[in-house]
Amino acid sequence: MGLDEPSGQNPLKRKEDGARLQPVGKRGRDKSDLQTSFVCLVHCKPACTCVILALILMHIEASMDKDYKEPPPAPLFEPGELKSWSFYRAGIAEFVATFLFLYITILTVMGVVKSSSKCSTVGIQGIAWAFGGMIFALVYCTAGISGGHINPAVTFGLFLARKLSLTRALFYMVMQCLGAICGAGVVKGFQKGVYQSNGGGANVVASGYSKGDGLGAEIVGTFILVYTVFSATDAKRNARDSHVPILAPLPIGFAVFLVHLATIPITGTGINPARSLGAAVIYNKDHAWDDHWIFWVGPFIGAALAALYHQVVIRAIPFKSRS
């Protein structure tokens, strides 16, 4: 909303005591009504307390029902999408975002691993910040165009929750993988010798850890990421907590940062099959492919568990649909 407001009622008003601005719309009226009810509750006799509390709870429940409606599930197949420019624009946005993501992050990894002294580089913390910071920036840039997935595991989880159609999910995954391959390819083009001699940023299970350890790390790491995505983008939460300003890309990027801090020593941190595929394709050495299945199976299992937990346990949507 710009500075020039249409004539009529100003959507913001200031309390007489100089407190913060608050909307005059239904939210503002609801809050004012609740404050009045609590004042009455304080000054009333004990005999009226139960009645007033019941009225307050009914008021809150009615307000939440009015503020929020469960969005309908996306159809499994939506052929009409293939005729829409917005469908292809979203795919291009996913391609470019994943390209930029791999370019910055793999370049950061190469800068760390090629140095003989980690103290002269950004270190593991810097790598984690590069991954988390790029996710924050790119989700912020592309959320309004494609949803800002930048990760086939996120796309898979949202598909299982019926947030997008199978057609769109498959298209996104293809574009994400192509973008990742191109991003890693540009990094190799800048410094081919350094890239090939330092692992190319490919994900492998570190020595001292078993494949089961690597798989478990990928499952839990991706669960944390996808669960954060569901929580940060939950329409019901946005309606219920509209008075709390939440920038969705921030917790998502921070989740990526924290998971990298924990699992870089184990697997180099995949939690994104496109990121793992792009680096493996461009690096293209046998040991990069030996464990590659872990970085698809683990993230997809983690994403499925996060979708199941959020939809069934947290939101209890299957139980609501039966009632």
Side-chain angles (χ1 to χ4, degrees):
M1 184 178 293
L3 295 176
D4 297 329
E5 298 292 345
S7 59
Q9 186 182 21
N10 189 339
L12 296 175
K13 70 175 182 180
R14 186 177 293 275
K15 288 183 179 180
E16 293 180 359
D17 59 358
R20 66 179 176 83
L21 295 174
Q22 61 173 302
V24 168
K26 183 166 68 63
R27 279 282 179 186
R29 292 196 301 271
D30 290 348
K31 185 175 181 180
S32 178
D33 293 344
L34 285 175
Q35 289 172 342
T36 303
S37 299
F38 280 113
V39 170
C40 293
L41 179 61
V42 170
H43 295 286
C44 72
K45 295 181 179 180
C48 302
T49 301
C50 293
V51 176
I52 294 178
L53 283 174
L55 290 174
I56 291 173
L57 293 175
M58 290 174 62
H59 179 80
I60 294 174
E61 184 177 359
S63 298
M64 292 181 65
D65 289 342
K66 292 177 182 176
D67 288 344
Y68 173 75
K69 289 183 179 179
E70 191 73 45
L76 186 60
F77 295 101
E78 196 169 357
E81 287 183 323
L82 300 177
K83 301 177 183 179
S84 172
W85 163 242
S86 63
F87 175 79
Y88 297 100
R89 180 184 64 181
I92 294 171
E94 288 292 311
F95 172 88
V96 172
T98 316
F99 168 83
L100 295 174
F101 178 61
L102 265 289
Y103 169 74
I104 294 295
T105 55
I106 298 299
L107 204 57
T108 304
V109 171
M110 291 296 99
V112 172
V113 298
K114 75 177 183 180
S115 177
S116 57
S117 173
K118 297 298 183 289
C119 295
S120 63
T121 68
V122 295
I124 289 180
Q125 293 86 351
I127 294 174
W129 273 121
F131 278 90
M134 281 302 292
I135 287 297
F136 169 70
L138 294 171
V139 171
Y140 180 84
C141 292
T142 59
I145 302 171
S146 65
H149 297 188
I150 322 172
N151 185 336
V154 172
T155 301
F156 180 66
L158 293 173
F159 164 70
L160 293 180
R162 302 293 299 277
K163 303 294 184 182
L164 71 164
S165 66
L166 178 61
T167 310
R168 185 175 292 265
L170 292 175
F171 183 51
Y172 278 13
M173 290 181 188
V174 170
M175 297 302 282
Q176 290 159 359
C177 291
L178 291 176
I181 293 170
C182 292
V186 170
V187 175
K188 181 179 179 179
F190 283 165
Q191 40 188 6
K192 184 174 181 180
V194 173
Y195 186 90
Q196 289 297 121
S197 61
N198 289 281
N203 290 120
V204 295
V205 178
S207 59
Y209 293 95
S210 67
K211 294 184 186 298
D213 296 333
L215 182 63
E218 290 296 304
I219 291 173
V220 175
T222 311
F223 178 91
I224 294 170
L225 169 60
V226 177
Y227 178 43
T228 304
V229 170
F230 274 109
S231 298
T233 59
D234 190 346
K236 182 176 182 179
R237 181 185 187 130
N238 292 337
R240 182 190 63 201
D241 299 334
S242 59
H243 61 287
V244 180
I246 297 177
L247 185 63
L250 182 58
I252 296 172
F254 201 63
V256 171
F257 164 70
L258 293 174
V259 171
H260 275 76
L261 282 182
T263 60
I264 282 177
I266 303 174
T267 62
T269 309
I271 68 172
N272 184 335
R275 172 261 185 272
S276 301
L277 178 67
V281 167
I282 300 302
Y283 182 57
N284 198 27
K285 294 291 182 69
D286 289 342
H287 68 275
W289 293 109
D290 290 341
D291 300 333
H292 187 69
W293 64 271
I294 292 174
F295 303 100
W296 282 87
V297 175
F300 273 46
I301 292 176
L305 292 175
L308 182 68
Y309 176 67
H310 185 267
Q311 296 294 98
V312 176
V313 178
I314 301 300
R315 295 295 311 281
I317 288 179
F319 306 102
K320 291 178 182 178
S321 62
R322 294 174 185 174
S323 58

